[in-house]
Amino acid sequence: MNQLKKILVLHTGGTISMSANASGDLQPNDENPLVADVDMEGMFHHQLQLITEEIFNLPSPHVTPERMLELRNRIVRAENDEGIDGVVITHGTDTLEETAYFLDLTLPNTIPVVVTGAMRGANEIGSDGLHNFQSAVWTANSDDARGKGVLVVMNDEVHTARFVTKTHTTNVATFRTPTFGPIGLISKQHVNFFQELIQQTVCDIDHVIGGVYLLKAFAGMDGDLFDAIDQPTTRGLVIEALGAGNLPPATLPALHRLLAHDIPVVLVSRCFNGIAEDVYDYEGGGVELKKMGVVFCRGLNGQKARIKLLVGLSNGMQGETLHHYVNNAFS
C-alpha cells in the first residue's frame, strides 16, 4: 500500500478566513472556518494527509517581506526536516501575488508550493474559498506540479507566481496572467498542465532589507517624488514608466541625482501587457534612460519587480550582478 502524501497547509489570513458581519462587512474570525467547519479528511477522500498550521492571521495589506521570509523559512524546514510532499498557503488576495513571487524567487524549486485565497467571505453567497482551497490541495498533491515553481490556484486555473496578477477588485475570476494565460486547469480533482515555465535561479536570503520603493509615472510628472525618495536609507527604486518605457523630461534631473548616489533604479511599464524596452530615442525616452543607467526589467509588473529588486539586494547583489538579476523575468 502506497504511503499517503503529506501536504502542509499554512493559513495566513485574508478573505478566505473571514466572514461577513450583520452589516455585510468582512471581518477576521477568531477561528479559521476552513479549520473549524470543514471535514478535511472527508473532503479529500482519505487520499492524502493534511497537516494544518495557522502561521499568522493577517489581512494581506498587513503582510510584509519579513512575513514572507517567515513563510519561506517554514516551508524550507518542512521540506528538509519533516518529509512534506507539498505545501498549500491560504492568503489574502491584495498582496497574494507578491508573497507568491517572493517565495518563487527564494524557495528551492522541488516540492509543489501552491498559494490560494478567496474573493468572498466564508458565509457569503457564492463563497469561493472552500473550492479554491480544495483545488489548491489537489494541485499540491499532483506529481505533475513538481518543479514548476510556486503556483497560484484560483477559480479552477493554475497560474505561475511569476506572471499572475490581481485584475479586478471583487470578481472571483480576478487572478489572470496577461499575455501568457494560465499554465493549467483543474477539473474535479485532476490537474491538467499544458504549459511549462522557463526556470530561474533560486536566490537564498536570510533577511530582508527595507528602503525599496515603487513609483508610477504620470503625465506632467516632475522630479519632486524622486527627490523625496533620495534619502540615505533608500536602497532601490522601481518605476512604472509610460508606454514601452519612457518618462516625462522634467523627471530627469532628479533621476540623475538618484543614480549619482548609487541607488539602483529599475524600470517596468505601467501597461497591462507587454514588456519595457528602450525603443524611443527622445528626451526622457527609453534609449536615454538606459544610457543613464536605468535597468529595464522585462516582463514583470511594478510590484513584482520591486520584490525581485528587494530579494537581490537582500542577497547582497550589486552592480552588474544585480542588474543582470532584475533585468529579465524569464531567467
Side-chain angles (χ1 to χ4, degrees), residues 5-12 44 48-56 67-91 96 99-100 103-104 107-117 132-143 145-153 158-159 161 191 193:
K5 284 188 178 180
K6 293 198 296 185
I7 306 298
L8 175 64
V9 178
L10 297 174
H11 293 300
T12 72
F44 299 105
L48 49 86
Q49 180 184 357
L50 284 187
I51 301 165
T52 300
E53 293 180 19
E54 189 172 67
I55 189 167
F56 45 84
R67 290 292 194 176
M68 298 175 193
L69 183 62
E70 182 181 346
L71 264 175
R72 180 260 180 199
N73 291 341
R74 178 66 189 95
I75 294 168
V76 169
R77 225 169 38 248
E79 181 176 6
N80 292 343
D81 303 332
E82 300 166 27
I84 293 296
D85 298 297
V87 177
V88 170
I89 300 164
T90 65
H91 197 288
L96 184 151
T99 294
L103 297 174
D104 191 54
L107 281 173
N109 186 19
T110 49
I111 64 171
V113 176
V114 182
V115 189
T116 192
N132 287 338
F133 175 72
Q134 185 180 45
S135 297
V137 172
W138 287 129
T139 304
N141 192 53
S142 169
D143 291 335
R146 292 181 63 88
K148 287 185 167 57
V150 174
L151 302 172
V152 173
V153 169
V158 184
H159 296 264
V191 186
F193 289 96

Side-chain angles (χ1 to χ4, degrees), residues 15-16 18 118-132 172:
T15 300
I16 196 169
M18 296 181 187
M119 296 302 294
R120 295 174 182 160
N123 63 344
E124 292 188 281
I125 295 174
S127 176
D128 54 330
L130 186 57
H131 182 80
N132 287 338
V172 295

Side-chain angles (χ1 to χ4, degrees), residues 181-201:
I183 66 167
L185 298 173
I186 298 165
S187 177
K188 295 186 178 180
Q189 66 188 63
H190 300 291
V191 186
N192 305 291
F193 289 96
F194 49 86
Q195 290 193 58
E196 290 288 340
L197 181 66
I198 299 172
Q199 299 301 316
Q200 68 188 15
T201 303

Side-chain angles (χ1 to χ4, degrees), residues 138-219:
W138 287 129
T139 304
N141 192 53
S142 169
D143 291 335
D144 293 336
R146 292 181 63 88
K148 287 185 167 57
V150 174
L151 302 172
V152 173
V153 169
M154 297 279 289
N155 203 40
D156 291 329
E157 294 181 341
V158 184
H159 296 264
T160 67
R162 196 181 307 179
F163 296 122
V164 73
T165 191
K166 186 174 182 178
T167 64
H168 195 284
T169 55
T170 57
N171 197 308
V172 295
T174 180
F175 279 91
R176 303 285 188 179
T177 297
T179 305
F180 308 115
I183 66 167
L185 298 173
I186 298 165
S187 177
K188 295 186 178 180
Q189 66 188 63
H190 300 291
V191 186
N192 305 291
F193 289 96
F194 49 86
Q195 290 193 58
E196 290 288 340
L197 181 66
I198 299 172
Q199 299 301 316
Q200 68 188 15
T201 303
V202 174
C203 189
D204 189 22
I205 60 174
D206 59 11
H207 70 287
V208 288
I209 65 164
V212 181
Y213 301 108
L214 172 62
L215 287 180
K216 188 167 190 169
F218 52 85

